Amino acid sequence: RSLRGGAPGPERRAEGRRRMAEARRVSFRDGRFASRKTEEAAWRRHQAAAWLESMVGPFGLTHCPSEQEFVAALRNGIVLCKAINKIQPGVVPKVVANAPCDSQPSTAFQYFENIRNFLVAVQALKLPSFEASDLEKDNLDAGSVGKIVDCVNSLKSYQERKKCSGTYGPVKYMKSPLAPRSAIHVQSENVTLGSSTPQKCLDLTEIDAEGQSSQNVGPNMEEAIGKLQRIILDCMISCKENLNQDVLKKDPVTLVGTILSNQLEKEQFKPLLQLISPEGAATKNEPNQHIECSNSQNENRLRLLEAQESELLELKTMFQEVKVDFRSLQTQFQDDITELGHNIQGISKAALGYNQAVKENRNLYNMLQEVRGNIRVFCRIRPLMNSKSISSIEHVGNDGSIMVCDPYKPQTTRKIFQFNQIFGPTTTQDEIYRETQSLIRSVMDGYNVCILAYGQTGSGKTHTMCGPSGGLSSNDLGINYMALNDLFTISTSREDVKYDIRVQMVEIYNEQVRDLLSEDTSSTKLDIRSSSNGLFNLPDAKMCPVQSPSDVMTLMLLGEKHRASGPTAMNNRSSRSHRFEFALSAPLTFLCALSIFAATDF
Ligand SMILES: Nc1ncnc2c1ncn2[C@@H]1O[C@H](COP(=O)(O)OP(=O)(O)OP(=O)(O)O)[C@@H](O)[C@H]1O
């Protein structure tokens, strides 16, 4: 659309549009605020230059000048003075127009007079002004051009306002950072009011006072558009103070929408709304359709808002319920935690008491063992193997006494022996073990225990200690197997102590000690060493770690193979002498031994 008076040529216009389009394109692509500001400044310079040209005619400025070009064209003040004189004739009485080329110093002074006179006139009109020094080349980078452009555009607005309303009052002019971007976005949204060019709707500075911009609309709509433009401009100007950098980063349409929505409730919009309402509108033309469309959009938005409000209320109610539930759970959780704490304290006390009781129990137990006798001697009467044999036992007392005599020499003196306990010929293996079982527990408490079977050949030592099957059958197990089982059972049940169990197996025969677990059978003879505490030990005897009763059984079977045996008058397979030793230790606590012997001689 051509500007009023002195319109630029088509080429310059095309160039200007191209540069503006390029500036916008860069701005949109980068989306940076700096680009937007550059674009906006270029647009405002264009407006100012175009207006000045329309007022004073072409003065050698391009359609979209750079800052340098703009300032250079205005530096002599001639254009500015002419323009203000057009608005307010005679406000600058004397304008130095053309100076001779050879009088540069005085011309510069006279030019300064032009500027000074112009600034005085601007101040008289109460319009935004600038400093004369802002036209200096050195001050361009300090943003001085913006002030000059603002001043020129304020003159433009003043002139347009004067033409529209015929009043001369002071104009509250504020530069609008939104005009170019709003126009672009409004175009994309097709929100126009009676014109295909978006600038016509939003940029009041380009409105044609004679109504050229609204050729296709009726008089009412023309009036509406005019009012709307003025109101929008006022809104934008009045909102400018409240705009900050963050707001300016918004999408232009959103930004304009924000500004307008802030102003919609104000009095100045009421006449406009009445004008564009179905009753107020004289004709139903295109702008009204847009307004109806906008109303329908508003209704939709209102419905959406109501739905969202209702959802919000539901959510709020749910939130309150959840909050109450959460608090109740929190209270319950705290109560539970407190109760749990009390319970743990109780359990801790009980555990402490239990441990103490166990310790006392162990002490008492072992004291009892000592009271019963650290050395206990039992007698087991073997059943007669031959029915023709005559028993030498005459009497067995309940107090552990036994009376024997030679059945073939009845006249010989009877002998009485006293034992801790006497087991008859019918006594089972289990009954024998029950009397020794308590000692196994003492081993686990760190006491040394020795179980020794002693008797003449064929008296039943091997039968008692190893069982009739020698451990091959689970029936009638011997003392050593049953002790072994108990050893591992107790060590497993006591989780507070870690036991390290090892096994030695030696044979003492003809005053020689042989290692029954040594793989090298040729050199199994062991030396007996006395230790500093007066005890004897076999340091070279092989000590095998075991984890389970089956490990021990394997070792015992190996030892059995290495045992010396031979027929005697009374026993076809007589063991000469043997000893099993279980070395038991609980690291850092104790080291003790369970020795199991069977011997015919000492
Ligand atoms: N309580 C018993 N009940 C049944 N049989 C028995 C009993 N005690 C021993 N015998 C039997 O008596 C025989 C000799 O027993 P055993 O080999 O245990 O004697 P020993 O004392 O180990 O002899 P040695 O010292 O010569 O090795 C075996 O045949 C054994 O089965």
Side-chain angles (χ1 to χ4, degrees), residues 4 51 54-55 83 86-87 127 153-165 167 171 205:
R4 190 164 59 83
W51 179 74
S54 72
M55 295 299 284
K86 283 257 175 142
I87 300 171
L127 294 174
N153 281 334
S154 72
L155 275 173
K156 174 175 172 273
S157 296
Y158 180 83
Q159 185 239 359
E160 287 164 351
R161 194 175 175 84
K162 187 178 161 188
K163 277 184 179 286
C164 288
S165 62
T167 58
V171 175
T205 62

Side-chain angles (χ1 to χ4, degrees), residues 448 528-539 579 591-593:
N448 289 319
I528 301 173
R529 303 257 173 83
S530 59
S531 60
S532 56
N533 55 9
L535 300 174
F536 295 94
N537 57 24
L538 304 165
R579 167 196 177 192
L591 171 65
C592 65

